[in-house]
Amino acid sequence: MRDHRRLRASDLADQVALETYRLTKSFLKEEVYGLIAQMRRAAVSISSNIVEGCARNSRAEYLRFLEISFGSARELGYQASLAERLGYFGKEEGSPFQLGNWTSAKRSWLR
């Protein structure tokens, strides 16, 4: 079993989850069951899958959960892009969600 707290990706995922909750607080109330819920669910899923993957015994299962986590990160990236285009926040606020951040983090997950 691996310790998820030793992975840089786990720290990054935790920061993104916190930032997602912070940013979505200011979204329109009509988005509570729409974009807010989707973004928060995806953000929590990133960390949750890293933790679950680390708890698996086989390397194949571990890597599978990291792939699922990366998929959730990409999903959140799209949702953040949509929220930005809808005017819910600016480019500078959306930077933690940029795909480039996750692509470079993904490489460190395998270490």
Side-chain angles (χ1 to χ4, degrees), residues 26-40:
S26 64
F27 284 19
L28 297 175
K29 294 301 174 206
E30 65 193 41
E31 289 292 351
V32 167
Y33 300 108
L35 199 52
I36 293 172
Q38 285 293 110
M39 288 182 72
R40 288 178 174 185

Side-chain angles (χ1 to χ4, degrees), residues 42-108:
V44 170
S45 180
I46 297 166
S47 292
S48 297
N49 280 296
I50 291 171
V51 171
E52 188 169 355
C54 286
R56 300 299 174 134
N57 290 323
S58 80
R59 180 166 172 78
E61 283 184 301
Y62 167 68
L63 294 175
R64 175 71 180 128
F65 277 92
L66 291 185
E67 286 296 328
I68 292 168
S69 183
F70 185 67
S72 294
R74 303 256 336 222
E75 179 182 356
L76 180 59
Y78 167 74
Q79 293 160 347
S81 170
L82 178 61
E84 181 186 327
R85 288 178 281 141
L86 290 169
Y88 293 155
F89 60 80
K91 278 188 189 282
E92 62 284 344
E93 291 175 301
S95 64
F97 306 110
Q98 298 302 314
L99 181 58
N101 293 342
W102 288 104
T103 302
S104 61
K106 184 182 178 188
R107 285 187 220 112
S108 73

